[in-house]
Amino acid sequence: MKSVEQTYSNFHINKESMHLYPTEWVIRTMLGKYPNMKIDEEKYLNAKVLDMGFGDARNMPLLNNIGLDIYGVEITDDIIKLAKKRLNNLNINATLKVGKNTNIPFEDSFFDIILSSASCYYLDDNTSFEDNIKEYLRVLKKDGILIANFPEKSKNFICQNSIDLGNGNIIIKNDIFNLRNGYTFRVFENEEEIKNYFDTYFYNISTGYGIDDYYGLVISQFFMVAYKK
């Protein structure tokens, strides 16, 4: 497998921009009102949020605007330096550290909320999705909120022609952007599968589904809001 650290560092360096636009599903989840979603917005004010795998920090202006105390984890110093530059220009304070899904550099029960936008399903070599979730649970407070998304296995372009390893794990082979080829993902078939998996650790699990066809590029994904038991 290629070095995810170097691949993603180069990706963010090559697309450096001061323009930040939050991810649509994150906006809808954190600010929207829906019949099947249980999220307590009163928990936002001054709550500690971990933006896990924050990338170009596009969701941090939104997190700042709703009153959250922002923390972030990414896989290299280079990505963090770029994010700090962007946030400084927007007068946004955030504590950013290098880490991974299985190694989050914060103490136990530190966060009220974890936002995992396109990140928790990445599996490092010799690790499992279970390892990722147990590390999330370690740093999340009791009754804390996990907000996450997952690719849909059957329709999402990123999953097409992948190598199926069983147990929901696939190796990506069809990323037309040549960014994630060779990496292992944990994917899900449907919302019920997600609920069944997370029910061991969480309660009040809300799920949603979205599919978009961007001129021939199909992105289908599941969304989840869940509270730690």
Side-chain angles (χ1 to χ4, degrees), residues 70-83:
I70 304 170
Y71 297 78
V73 167
E74 258 297 351
I75 55 176
T76 71
D77 279 319
D78 287 336
I79 298 175
I80 286 176
K81 288 176 183 177
L82 289 172

Side-chain angles (χ1 to χ4, degrees), residues 25-26 49-57 59-60 63 70-75 79 95-106 111 113-122 124 131-133 135-136 138-139 146-149:
W25 80 266
V26 175
V49 61
L50 171 62
D51 191 348
M52 187 66 200
F54 57 78
D56 56 13
N59 291 315
M60 290 186 180
L63 303 179
I70 304 170
Y71 297 78
V73 167
E74 258 297 351
I75 55 176
I79 298 175
T95 301
L96 309 181
K97 295 185 178 183
V98 174
K100 293 185 177 182
N101 279 322
T102 54
N103 182 21
I104 299 173
F106 291 96
F111 295 106
I113 301 168
I114 296 177
L115 170 63
S116 175
S117 179
S119 60
C120 73
Y121 51 80
Y122 279 79
D124 293 324
D131 294 330
N132 291 1
I133 298 307
E135 181 68 350
Y136 282 38
R138 181 186 67 79
V139 298
L146 172 60
I147 302 170
N149 68 329

Side-chain angles (χ1 to χ4, degrees), residues 2 16 22 49 64 80 84 129 160 162 198-199 210 222:
K2 296 181 299 183
E16 181 179 1
V49 61
N64 180 71
I80 286 176
K84 285 182 176 179
F129 186 65
Q160 302 308 305
S162 58
F198 282 93
D199 182 65
F222 301 108

Side-chain angles (χ1 to χ4, degrees), residues 14-171:
N14 291 334
K15 68 184 285 288
E16 181 179 1
S17 169
M18 293 310 301
H19 302 291
L20 299 172
Y21 306 103
T23 305
E24 182 179 352
W25 80 266
V26 175
I27 299 172
R28 289 182 176 276
T29 299
M30 301 200 74
L31 300 183
K33 302 287 187 183
Y34 304 102
N36 296 327
M37 185 178 73
K38 305 177 185 71
I39 193 164
D40 184 2
E41 294 182 13
E42 293 183 0
K43 287 180 172 285
Y44 290 171
L45 188 59
N46 298 319
K48 291 184 175 68
V49 61
L50 171 62
D51 191 348
M52 187 66 200
F54 57 78
D56 56 13
R58 65 177 54 242
N59 291 315
M60 290 186 180
L62 169 65
L63 303 179
N64 180 71
N65 289 345
I66 60 180
L68 292 165
D69 185 6
I70 304 170
Y71 297 78
V73 167
E74 258 297 351
I75 55 176
T76 71
D77 279 319
D78 287 336
I79 298 175
I80 286 176
K81 288 176 183 177
L82 289 172
K84 285 182 176 179
K85 178 179 177 182
R86 296 184 178 110
L87 296 175
N88 285 340
N89 278 273
L90 295 170
N91 294 315
I92 294 174
N93 294 317
T95 301
L96 309 181
K97 295 185 178 183
V98 174
K100 293 185 177 182
N101 279 322
T102 54
N103 182 21
I104 299 173
F106 291 96
E107 63 191 61
D108 296 356
S109 302
F110 188 78
F111 295 106
D112 301 284
I113 301 168
I114 296 177
L115 170 63
S116 175
S117 179
S119 60
C120 73
Y121 51 80
Y122 279 79
L123 308 184
D124 293 324
D125 289 342
N126 303 312
T127 68
S128 67
F129 186 65
E130 187 86 355
D131 294 330
N132 291 1
I133 298 307
K134 285 184 176 179
E135 181 68 350
Y136 282 38
L137 289 165
R138 181 186 67 79
V139 298
L140 188 62
K141 294 177 181 178
K142 185 180 183 302
D143 301 317
I145 304 171
L146 172 60
I147 302 170
N149 68 329
F150 314 94
E152 181 189 22
K153 183 179 181 181
S154 62
K155 298 184 180 70
N156 196 305
F157 84 96
I158 197 65
C159 301
Q160 302 308 305
N161 301 316
S162 58
I163 298 174
D164 193 334
L165 301 176
N167 297 320
N169 296 340
I170 63 172
I171 297 178

